[in-house]
Amino acid sequence: MKKLCSSLILLVLVTCACFTVVSAARPIGGDQGWYEVLCNVDGATVSFDNTVVGQIQNGALYVPVYTTGTPYQTYTVSMTGYTTYTGQINSVPGKGEFVTLYATLNPAATATPTMGPIGGDVGWYVVHCNVDGATVFFDTTNEGQISQGTLTVQVYVTGTPFQTYSVQNTGYIPFNAQITQYPAKGEKVDLYATLNPQPTMPPTAVPTTKAPIPPEVIVFAVMVTGLGLLIGTKKSN
């Protein structure tokens, strides 16, 4: 009888131990799948429904999810200096499965860079001109050349304001004007310049000079005149 009881107790203990091992081997919350996020920029931050889940390394990030959990709706990939990418999550991975999500980051567009004071907010001047290749000066600073009719110049709103602008090109009369309006943060101010061709000088007339009368012609004329006077005198006598 004692042996039977001991055997039953041992069987119960072994059974409980087996259940404990099986329970410990299962992940909490159900079976796992993975989202595979592929991106062209390493270091980019990945968020699922505004929750950061990691960063791109070697072109990818693997995000484990539970198939029994609440499914995500959107994913976002962002990186300083790049436009943020946002996409929809339309599939949920099953147990041991992968769902691939793609994101391509493009460099953020920037205004035409120019030298200026460090720090402060920026605005822009847009110089319009009728001559491509013309050089633009703000005060005495060369800011660049007109291309396709315009030149955009970045300025700091906290910097010392420019007073004048000049647009110049070979063969044209320089254009000079005052700057009376200044851009605020994020604003653009348009400046206009019209270049007119330099006037062309009319050809200089070459003075004409008469050739001097040869001495022999003068002597001959005097002789003829004298002979005429002599003949006239004789006739009158």
Side-chain angles (χ1 to χ4, degrees):
M1 185 66 179
K2 289 182 179 180
K3 289 182 178 180
L4 179 60
C5 290
S6 298
S7 298
L8 290 174
I9 292 172
L10 181 60
L11 179 62
V12 170
L13 290 175
V14 170
T15 303
C16 291
C18 290
F19 275 114
T20 301
V21 171
V22 172
S23 178
R26 296 178 64 86
I28 298 173
D31 297 325
Q32 275 189 328
W34 289 268
Y35 283 109
E36 178 188 43
V37 184
L38 303 181
C39 179
N40 60 316
V41 178
D42 281 349
T45 300
V46 180
S47 300
F48 281 8
D49 291 345
N50 299 319
T51 300
V52 176
V53 293
Q55 292 183 321
I56 299 293
Q57 297 294 332
N58 297 321
L61 172 68
Y62 296 92
V63 182
V65 292
Y66 290 98
T67 58
T68 56
T70 302
Y72 292 107
Q73 303 297 318
T74 62
Y75 68 102
T76 301
V77 184
S78 60
M79 181 73 172
T80 302
Y82 293 83
T83 55
T84 299
Y85 182 91
T86 300
Q88 296 291 320
I89 298 177
N90 300 316
S91 300
V92 178
K95 177 182 177 181
E97 293 181 345
F98 289 86
V99 170
T100 303
L101 305 174
Y102 298 92
T104 299
L105 299 187
N106 296 310
T110 58
T112 302
T114 59
M115 296 300 294
I118 298 174
D121 297 318
V122 298
W124 295 270
Y125 283 109
V126 180
V127 184
H128 302 260
C129 182
N130 61 316
V131 178
D132 282 348
T135 302
V136 178
F137 294 88
F138 278 14
D139 292 341
T140 58
T141 303
N142 186 335
E143 298 292 350
Q145 292 183 322
I146 298 293
S147 177
Q148 298 183 354
T150 62
L151 171 68
T152 301
V153 180
Q154 176 182 292
V155 294
Y156 289 86
V157 298
T158 56
T160 302
F162 291 106
Q163 303 298 317
T164 62
Y165 70 103
S166 174
V167 184
Q168 305 174 16
N169 199 33
T170 303
Y172 293 85
I173 300 173
F175 179 92
N176 300 286
Q178 297 288 322
I179 297 176
T180 58
Q181 187 178 355
Y182 308 101
K185 176 184 177 182
E187 291 183 347
K188 291 182 179 180
V189 170
D190 293 302
L191 302 175
Y192 296 89
T194 299
L195 295 186
N196 296 309
Q198 291 276 8
T200 56
M201 298 297 294
T204 304
V206 178
T208 57
T209 57
K210 294 182 179 179
I213 300 174
E216 57 269 21
V217 175
I218 297 174
V219 172
F220 178 76
V222 171
M223 291 175 64
V224 171
T225 302
L227 181 60
L229 291 174
L230 180 61
I231 294 173
T233 302
K234 287 183 178 182
K235 286 183 179 181
S236 61
N237 293 332

